[in-house]
Amino acid sequence: MKKYKAVVKVSLRENILDVQGKTIEHALYSLDFDMMNNVRIGKLITLDIEAQNDGQAEAFVEQAAKKLLSNPVIEDFTIEIIE
Amino acid sequence: MKFSVIVFPGSNCDQDAFHTAGSILGEQVEYVWHKEGSLSVDTDAVIIPGGFSYGDYLRCGAVARFSNIMKDVVSFANNGKPVIGICNGFQILTEIGLLEGALLRNQNLKFICKDVFLKTSNNKTTFTNNLSEEQVIRIPIAHGDGNFFADDDTIKSLQDNNQIVFQYCDENGNVNDQSNPNGSLLNIAGITNKSNNVLGMMPHPERYSEQLLGCNDGIQVFQSILNNFKNGVLA
């Protein structure tokens, strides 16, 4: 068994209005950061995992992301596995 | 008739629901702690109350849906028995997949606690048969994540199957943007499942179930469940 770190990023699906992101976007504009746009807020979940190899680690994390860490009705996720 | 009120760590409307079913409606009622493996065999209806189960961590309802008792609640619902989820209960029911869609953060990002008016968009359900068609009732809301969302296909199927039961409206029953407190698609405040035995609603009927509280419009929802049980009107 090897030890890995996993980083799961969960964010609202692209076609869903992210009201928190919009609010922060407006705050950025009020600070003259008007070169910025399309602000989106998400969640960053990190965890340690033991698995045979990185492929297996990713498969476990993907199951967890689908089952609990994200809600597929409204969210997308990406997974990064680090040795 | 016997109601079971599920209690999670962080539930805070369980006592209101218990009082409504027991003292106001005058039926049997019991609390069921989330760690229990099964409902009492004589349970006739389940109430999943409002609150902040598991502190709303991760997503509202996301952790509660994996509670021990929820497996039996799903079997109970799949057997056609009535389940009502109020506020956090609605969020739990969408997370577990007994109801479609999801509840997003309120569009104005505020926790909204106020009275709203609801149009009874379908009064031919287990939960609304004591109301007249398009009847407007006044019920309080208290939530930060009540903005109902579903994809276009799901919204269409909710409409086609008359699953939209309550919509936010003004006191005259007009469903419009001004009467939408949280940004919900189609002003949706409550929906049922396709087989009409599971209801989720963000407003709190149990908080307006007796005149002592200033309004008793909410008792109609519980009275409807009782009517349905006694007369087998719909289920």
Side-chain angles (χ1 to χ4, degrees):
Chain A
M1 284 294 199
K2 287 188 190 168
K3 288 185 176 175
Y4 299 91
K5 277 195 180 303
V7 179
V8 184
K9 288 180 191 164
V10 181
S11 55
L12 278 179
R13 289 216 322 255
E14 280 292 323
N15 62 341
I16 293 179
L17 174 67
D18 179 351
V19 283
Q20 291 186 84
K22 272 280 170 250
T23 303
I24 288 165
E25 194 172 294
H26 292 311
L28 287 171
Y29 294 155
S30 73
L31 296 171
D32 292 330
F33 288 112
D34 44 9
M35 71 296 282
M36 299 179 182
N37 59 58
N38 202 19
V39 180
R40 312 278 296 175
I41 304 284
K43 291 171 197 153
L44 184 74
I45 301 160
T46 63
L47 57 91
D48 294 345
I49 177 170
E50 286 187 27
Q52 308 276 6
N53 51 52
D54 57 354
Q56 191 190 39
E58 178 158 355
F60 283 146
V61 176
E62 188 176 341
Q63 284 172 31
K66 283 182 177 162
K67 208 168 172 185
L68 174 64
L69 304 180
S70 79
N71 178 343
V73 177
I74 49 173
E75 293 170 327
D76 288 326
F77 62 85
T78 60
I79 297 168
E80 189 187 355
I81 302 289
I82 306 163
E83 278 202 47
Chain B
M1 172 169 196
K2 182 167 180 179
F3 288 85
S4 288
V5 178
I6 312 295
V7 186
F8 300 99
S11 294
N12 66 7
C13 299
D14 44 335
Q15 296 195 20
D16 305 58
F18 188 96
H19 174 72
T20 300
S23 306
I24 306 174
L25 212 55
E27 298 300 314
Q28 288 181 65
V29 57
E30 70 177 3
Y31 292 118
V32 180
W33 183 234
H34 71 106
K35 285 191 172 169
E36 297 291 331
S38 58
L39 299 161
S40 300
V41 286
D42 55 348
T43 300
D44 298 305
V46 166
I47 303 174
I48 306 180
F52 302 85
S53 59
Y54 295 91
D56 280 351
Y57 294 167
L58 191 63
R59 294 179 308 280
C60 304
V63 182
R65 67 149 288 194
F66 290 104
S67 295
N68 243 358
I69 191 63
M70 288 308 292
K71 289 189 203 82
D72 203 38
V73 172
V74 170
S75 319
F76 186 81
N78 289 339
N79 284 333
K81 301 285 186 61
V83 175
I84 173 173
I86 299 163
C87 198
N88 190 221
F90 186 10
Q91 294 162 339
I92 294 168
L93 290 173
T94 59
E95 281 283 341
I96 207 165
L98 282 174
L99 291 172
E100 293 155 290
L103 284 314
L104 296 168
R105 183 65 51 89
N106 290 344
Q107 203 151 61
N108 66 3
L109 292 174
K110 289 179 178 152
F111 187 96
I112 307 169
C113 190
K114 66 173 188 182
D115 284 9
V116 295
F117 292 99
L118 302 178
K119 183 178 117 177
T120 311
S121 307
N122 181 358
N123 72 333
K124 296 174 182 63
T125 78
T126 308
F127 311 93
T128 52
N129 57 68
N130 211 51
L131 291 155
S132 53
E133 206 174 328
E134 305 205 339
Q135 186 172 340
V136 175
I137 56 175
R138 181 161 64 101
I139 304 283
I141 55 170
H143 59 248
D145 300 70
N147 176 359
F148 183 83
F149 172 85
D151 61 34
D152 295 345
D153 291 347
T154 305
I155 288 286
K156 183 163 188 315
S157 102
L158 289 173
Q159 286 178 303
D160 291 349
N161 296 310
N162 290 319
Q163 289 171 255
I164 301 169
V165 172
F166 290 120
Q167 287 171 288
Y168 301 109
C169 65
D170 64 22
E171 59 186 324
N172 299 314
N174 300 306
V175 175
N176 50 33
D177 286 348
Q178 289 72 43
S179 60
N180 188 339
N182 53 25
S184 289
L185 290 177
L186 299 178
N187 286 39
I188 287 174
I191 57 167
T192 58
N193 62 346
K194 280 198 180 66
S195 47
N196 174 35
N197 65 306
V198 179
L199 169 76
M201 63 188 295
M202 288 311 297
H204 286 274
E206 81 286 7
R207 292 192 187 178
Y208 267 181
S209 279
E210 58 189 328
Q211 209 55 55
L212 185 65
L213 300 171
C215 181
N216 65 356
D217 286 359
I219 196 65
Q220 307 268 13
V221 172
F222 300 92
Q223 186 63 49
S224 296
I225 299 172
L226 182 59
N227 292 349
N228 194 64
F229 175 75
K230 282 187 172 161
N231 309 324
V233 187
L234 296 147

